[in-house]
Amino acid sequence: MKFWLHTYGCQMNVRDSEAMESLLLGAGHQKALSESDADLVIINSCTVRQKAEDKALGKAGYLLSTGKKVGIAGCAVARLGDDIFKKLPRLDFAVKPGEFTKIKYLASSNDPLAEHPPTDAFSAFVTVMTGCNNFCSYCIVPKVRGPEKSRPFDDIVQEVEHLASTGIKEVTLLGQSVLKYPNFPQLLRRLQQIDKLKRIRFTSAHPGGCTDELLKAYNECDKVCRHIHLPVQSGSNKILSQMGRRYTREQYLEAIAKLRAFDDTFAITTDVIVGYPGETEEDFEETRSLMNEALFDNSFIFKYSPRPGTRSAELADDVTNEEKQRRNAVLLDDQEKRGLARNLALVGSVREVLVEGESKRNKTRLSGRDSGNRIVIWPKCENLPEKGSFVNVKILDAHAQTLFGELA
Ligand code: SAH
Ligand code: SF4
């Protein structure tokens, strides 16, 4: 069968899709050239917000109406259970995140993630933890992805060593709260020793794990990228406490001040929820001011969406959609200005960039990322650097989300 995989949601899903692709190829199926060329389309779904779930199910519904075989994988399946077949009666199959090996109708292996390496040439996701035990009041993830489980240290090291031996230069360690991995700084130190590996990233990080031990590991390990995605969710202590985040505004700001003191080009990105139940104008302004103090390099703003079965879904969703939209727009606008100022400060400096390939918008340019995960664009020149190699780029100009330069 010719299959096509369509992935929604977080990097965990991207990683699961890679593993599913590998399983299907191993079972003798072929990758279609496009969605329309496929006999079977698998939608790897997200359910973290209602909008994300609706998008995935809507896509499946549309594809079913064209007569294709359609399967759904991922978190919406875990949330809806068999009800997914009520919503999409003609659906061919549905598999939950923990059971995706069923996709090729074979007995599940003990460690599907290790056995099915990704296919990308120079950068790879590596799962270090699955599930989540934090139960933030608004979040469906612990329910759909199950309890937190750490993969054995040696398995992770072996997997990364293997990836590096096949030409992978950069790994991103994945988990909902990777800093909770037992002795995470030690894992970074061990991976730092892998010769052919050049960059180590990780996501997501819970602010509680931003310890002096972690800073020490940054200091010792130059391969660990100077970027952290540290979702803050809110700047109001009242809302943070109701969310069950277990840190205060002050503790959060203290943690990132340490990172910035260590290296002032350190990139810090975040997630924020606007319109949580009971979020007043004052609470919102506290979020706004925290974001300005934190000087985030980038941020993802989400409008609160109640997820049935979570604690906050019991509360009245009392901020109107228009007001959520307004708060969302205000924070995006702030971020645009802040991101631009942060990036302009890098004009004149030289950034080491991992080459990703042609820029999508302009084929006469190349695109890559610096250690801070910033997108860097520069003109092609005669000796075309290979995808996956490193070049030094002198920064000449900047937008809020992109740096522009020339080979140094
Ligand atoms: N484990 C990660 C977050 C995973 S979910 C962490 O804790 O850092 C990704 C983001 O989706 C969250 O950071 C949050 O900002 C957003 N999110 C989660 N549930 C949401 C909901 N019910 N409504 C709106 N946004 C939500
Ligand atoms: Fe959800 Fe909180 Fe776990 Fe992140 S840490 S996945 S927000 S419960």
Side-chain angles (χ1 to χ4, degrees):
M1 217 163 6
K2 285 193 285 182
F3 68 89
W4 186 254
L5 265 156
H6 201 86
T7 308
Y8 293 93
C10 66
Q11 289 98 331
M12 286 280 180
N13 264 12
V14 175
R15 180 65 195 105
D16 289 352
S17 286
E18 287 171 350
M20 283 192 279
E21 177 172 321
S22 167
L23 281 161
L24 290 164
L25 292 172
H29 302 294
Q30 284 170 347
K31 205 171 156 180
L33 298 172
S34 65
E35 189 179 276
S36 56
D37 173 50
D39 309 308
L40 165 68
V41 180
I42 298 156
I43 309 276
N44 198 0
S45 64
C46 173
T47 187
V48 78
R49 287 167 293 279
Q50 190 58 43
K51 214 167 115 188
E53 183 180 297
D54 292 347
K55 243 196 208 164
L57 267 54
K59 178 88 180 168
Y62 162 75
L63 288 165
L64 283 165
S65 76
T66 67
K68 281 190 195 302
K69 275 187 178 300
V70 179
I72 299 196
C75 296
V77 179
R79 189 181 89 81
L80 292 166
D82 285 343
D83 284 352
I84 200 160
F85 290 101
K86 286 187 197 145
K87 288 181 183 261
L88 296 162
R90 294 185 14 230
L91 194 64
D92 291 277
F93 61 83
V95 284
K96 291 180 195 167
E99 303 178 342
F100 65 71
T101 50
K102 280 187 185 163
I103 207 115
K104 64 165 195 176
Y105 311 110
L106 282 184
S108 76
S109 81
N110 289 332
D111 194 352
L113 289 164
E115 280 176 30
H116 302 286
T119 46
D120 199 332
F122 59 89
S123 181
F125 289 132
V126 174
T127 306
V128 299
M129 290 174 94
T130 54
C132 186
N133 286 350
N134 283 352
F135 288 96
C136 302
S137 65
Y138 50 83
C139 188
I140 192 77
V141 169
K143 209 168 152 199
V144 294
R145 290 251 167 193
E148 205 165 86
K149 240 166 85 183
S150 299
R151 281 181 66 205
F153 192 93
D154 292 342
D155 287 9
I156 298 168
V157 173
Q158 254 179 33
E159 184 178 337
V160 178
E161 272 172 345
H162 173 73
L163 289 167
S165 76
T166 67
I168 294 288
K169 302 281 174 50
E170 173 184 83
V171 291
T172 304
L173 309 175
L174 295 181
Q176 294 300 342
S177 257
V178 279
L179 300 182
K180 270 173 89 183
Y181 186 83
N183 214 342
F184 188 71
Q186 203 49 38
L187 181 63
L188 296 178
R189 288 189 188 99
R190 179 63 190 81
L191 299 181
Q192 164 81 20
Q193 289 164 15
I194 300 175
D195 243 6
K196 287 184 173 162
L197 186 72
K198 300 296 177 206
R199 278 183 173 177
I200 304 162
R201 300 188 181 281
F202 56 82
T203 194
S204 240
H206 188 276
C210 228
T211 58
D212 290 345
E213 254 312 286
L214 181 70
L215 266 168
K216 251 171 80 190
Y218 269 118
N219 210 359
E220 288 166 36
C221 306
D222 60 353
K223 293 180 181 176
V224 178
C225 289
R226 286 3 184 182
H227 166 230
I228 195 163
H229 185 64
L230 209 56
V232 67
Q233 314 299 1
S234 171
S236 147
N237 282 333
K238 178 192 100 192
I239 299 289
L240 283 172
S241 141
Q242 286 175 11
M243 285 176 162
R245 292 291 290 178
R246 289 173 303 194
Y247 53 83
T248 61
R249 168 196 180 91
E250 292 74 22
Q251 285 166 333
Y252 183 91
L253 285 169
E254 198 182 314
I256 69 167
K258 278 190 196 164
L259 293 169
R260 288 264 167 69
F262 165 69
D263 175 348
D264 63 0
T265 65
F266 208 107
I268 302 174
T269 58
T270 203
D271 292 345
V272 168
I273 297 176
V274 291
Y276 185 82
E279 185 186 71
T280 62
E281 185 60 26
E282 257 171 28
D283 295 319
F284 168 68
E285 282 301 331
E286 281 181 31
T287 298
R288 203 176 168 194
S289 73
L290 176 137
M291 293 178 80
N292 279 327
E293 265 181 68
L295 283 177
F296 291 119
D297 293 84
N298 202 359
S299 41
F300 301 88
I301 324 285
F302 302 109
K303 290 189 282 176
Y304 172 73
S305 155
R307 310 310 288 133
T310 61
R311 275 177 290 135
S312 70
E314 308 293 315
L315 308 170
D317 182 11
D318 56 1
V319 180
T320 64
N321 194 45
E322 295 75 60
E323 184 54 21
K324 285 178 189 167
Q325 188 57 46
R326 187 192 69 83
R327 293 178 187 178
N328 186 68
V330 169
L331 297 187
L332 280 179
D333 191 52
D334 285 355
Q335 183 57 51
E336 190 74 10
K337 294 181 183 129
R338 191 168 45 229
L340 179 62
R342 287 281 299 162
N343 281 347
L344 282 173
L346 293 171
V347 169
S349 69
V350 173
R351 309 296 300 163
E352 186 185 43
V353 174
L354 176 57
V355 181
E356 289 184 354
E358 272 177 2
S359 149
K360 275 181 204 129
R361 286 206 194 142
N362 185 337
K363 303 270 180 240
T364 70
R365 294 164 164 189
L366 292 173
S367 164
R369 280 171 200 269
D370 76 351
S371 171
N373 210 30
R374 303 175 185 92
I375 299 168
V376 181
I377 308 273
W378 68 102
K380 274 185 189 168
C381 53
E382 276 180 22
N383 292 335
L384 218 55
E386 257 178 74
K387 233 169 109 157
S389 63
F390 286 88
V391 295
N392 285 319
V393 177
K394 179 161 191 203
I395 306 306
L396 302 173
D397 194 13
H399 290 174
Q401 309 253 10
T402 321
L403 300 172
F404 300 91
E406 62 185 18
L407 280 187

